[in-house]
Amino acid sequence: MRENDRAIVAFTGLSHAVVHTYELSIPILVLVWLTEFPVTTATLGSVVAVGYGLFGAGALPGGVLADRYGPQWLVVGCLLGMGGSFLLVSLAPNVPTIALALGVWGLAASVYHPAGLSLISTGVHDRGTGFAYHGMAGNAGIALGPLATALLLLVFDWRLVAALLAIPAVLAVGVALTAEFDATAAVSADGGTEDGAGEDDAATTEETDAPASLSAFLADSRTLFTAGFALALGVVAMNGLFYRGTLTFLPDVLSGYLPSVTEYVRLFEPGSAMAEEFDLAYYIYTGLLVVGIGGQYVGGKLTDRVPVTTGLAGVFAGLCVVGVLFVPAAEAGVGPLLAVSAVLGFLLFAIQPLYQATIAEVSPAGDRGLSYGYTYLANFGVGAAGAAVSGYLLSAVGEGGTFLGLALFPLVGVVLAVALRGRRGTDAGAA
């Protein structure tokens, strides 16, 4: 990778890890708030849903802002907002203040993905590799964030832990303020991407043709929504539905198939309080997320070696197989369960660089932030329905039926990826 590529990837990778560190630390803190405040799980769940809802809903206006003002400083604002929100959490005297703080976090975090991905797509020449490293950094935050929060809570009061969690954002801002890179180094003068051009030939000015009014926003959206872009959004939505559907209740599902930890290691006495508290499912779940780091890397490399639609169809097909085989493998024993869980984690995250690169290929560089805004509205917004779907299926048809039902999402994804490949071929022929 070129020096400019490395600088952008380092900046966005660190920021991505911070975003997901906060996202996954919130459920750990929820356990503390349930005992700290006189609140029911229903009320606290609604409070948390405010932050997560804004995390998805704010992606679209975040994309507009990224195109209007440039992604680099929008990411800096995102980091400052997230760090400030957790400082507010640490000072919260009651649940309404926590709701406000999490709302601030959701709004601040929502702009990251359209801004960060826009920066990679316009500034990094080795785009696939850039997306891969970016995704791997996000997975590091996903896996290590909740673990670090849980370990800190063993030593410190939750308020101090929340304040300490603001430190990663401060460090990331420090990196941003000292980093030097060209945010448009991979964009040619006519708005296309330069796969083989040198940095000296790259455009040196920010894109400024972002929508400045509602009518302009609607006009840009109509222009953006070609058949290819609509198909690509369908691919993203299918990924989001399967992702949320499988991961939301996966720890609970794993618990039903795993024996007590004392059957394997003598960390605790059987029947002791510590043995009861130590849930092996949580650590297998964390391991699954760690395996996803490798999936991100491989998926990113694939974008530079095969057509992205081919990669999407292949990974979706693999997820279909995993959905069909997950429960039979779990019922076969711990070994098969660990194996199918590892494959699930690998494939769930291998697909992310592929669809991110697909969006970049079917959208103009000047509307890249807007395109990623729609992308993460589909991924986080539409995808959130996957949790409701899996919850209903678990209560109605059990675990076997749930995974078979969820396998329909990647199956539709295969169809959409093939259709997108055919559409791009038609468009190329027409050109």
Side-chain angles (χ1 to χ4, degrees):
M1 297 179 71
R2 310 178 189 200
E3 183 177 353
N4 191 72
D5 290 2
R6 289 194 295 271
I8 291 175
V9 169
F11 167 58
T12 56
L14 177 59
S15 302
H16 196 202
V18 171
V19 168
H20 288 296
T21 292
Y22 291 131
E23 178 195 4
L24 274 298
S25 69
I26 292 172
I28 304 296
L29 292 171
V30 164
L31 298 176
V32 179
W33 295 335
L34 284 171
T35 59
E36 184 75 12
F37 300 104
V39 62
T40 65
T41 55
T43 299
L44 195 54
S46 299
V47 166
V48 173
V50 171
Y52 283 147
L54 291 173
F55 184 34
L60 183 55
V64 175
L65 291 172
D67 287 334
R68 183 69 178 168
Y69 300 107
Q72 180 178 357
W73 294 109
L74 199 61
V75 172
V76 172
C78 161
L79 294 167
L80 289 172
M82 291 191 300
S85 70
F86 267 69
L87 287 177
L88 181 57
V89 166
S90 71
L91 300 173
N94 50 42
V95 172
T97 308
I98 290 176
L100 174 63
L102 294 183
V104 172
W105 173 82
L107 283 174
S110 68
V111 305
Y112 174 73
H113 285 90
L117 293 172
S118 177
L119 181 56
I120 293 174
S121 69
T122 59
V124 176
H125 287 81
D126 296 327
R127 181 190 294 158
T129 300
F131 281 140
Y133 285 125
H134 176 264
M136 291 165 66
N139 267 82
I142 288 172
L144 299 179
L147 180 60
T149 302
L151 292 175
L152 286 172
L153 286 170
L154 293 175
V155 182
F156 303 114
D157 177 74
W158 71 270
R159 295 182 184 277
L160 179 56
V161 171
L164 290 174
L165 287 173
I167 293 176
V170 174
L171 294 176
V173 169
V175 171
L177 295 177
T178 58
E180 295 183 1
F181 51 76
D182 182 355
T184 59
V187 180
S188 64
D190 64 359
T193 57
E194 296 182 302
D195 292 329
E199 290 183 20
D200 293 339
D201 298 325
T204 58
T205 59
E206 294 283 351
E207 297 290 341
T208 58
D209 53 347
S213 66
L214 177 59
S215 60
F217 165 74
L218 294 175
D220 278 7
S221 295
R222 284 194 295 270
T223 301
L224 183 63
F225 267 86
T226 62
F229 185 75
L231 285 170
L233 278 190
V235 164
V236 172
M238 291 305 105
N239 169 74
L241 288 164
F242 186 77
Y243 177 91
R244 287 296 182 201
T246 53
L247 291 187
T248 299
F249 294 99
L250 189 57
D252 183 58
V253 171
L254 290 171
S255 293
Y257 292 103
L258 291 168
S260 171
V261 66
T262 56
E263 294 187 20
Y264 292 93
V265 292
R266 287 287 179 176
L267 291 175
F268 318 108
E269 287 297 322
S272 67
M274 288 297 292
E276 291 295 326
E277 291 293 328
F278 189 94
D279 192 343
L280 190 59
Y282 174 78
Y283 296 93
I284 291 178
Y285 182 72
T286 301
L288 178 153
L289 298 175
V290 172
V291 170
I293 297 175
Q296 289 274 9
Y297 180 80
V298 173
K301 287 297 184 181
L302 281 176
T303 67
D304 294 329
R305 289 167 170 76
V306 302
V308 288
T309 49
T310 301
L312 285 170
V315 176
F316 270 134
L319 288 172
C320 284
V321 173
V322 169
V324 172
L325 296 181
F326 191 90
V327 171
E331 292 174 342
V334 174
L337 173 59
L338 293 177
V340 75
S341 296
V343 174
L344 174 63
F346 183 89
L347 294 176
L348 274 177
F349 293 97
I351 202 169
Q352 291 184 6
L354 290 163
Y355 75 67
Q356 290 163 357
T358 300
I359 293 295
E361 290 190 2
V362 298
S363 62
D367 288 326
R368 198 58 54 73
L370 179 62
S371 68
Y372 282 123
Y374 277 113
T375 297
Y376 282 90
L377 179 61
N379 193 39
F380 294 141
V382 176
V389 170
S390 61
Y392 170 77
L393 289 175
L394 282 168
S395 64
V397 295
E399 292 152 353
T402 296
F403 276 87
L404 288 176
L406 291 175
L408 293 176
F409 292 129
L411 180 60
V412 174
V414 171
V415 175
L416 292 175
V418 172
L420 179 58
R421 180 175 177 82
R423 181 71 193 185
R424 290 175 64 204
T426 300
D427 292 344

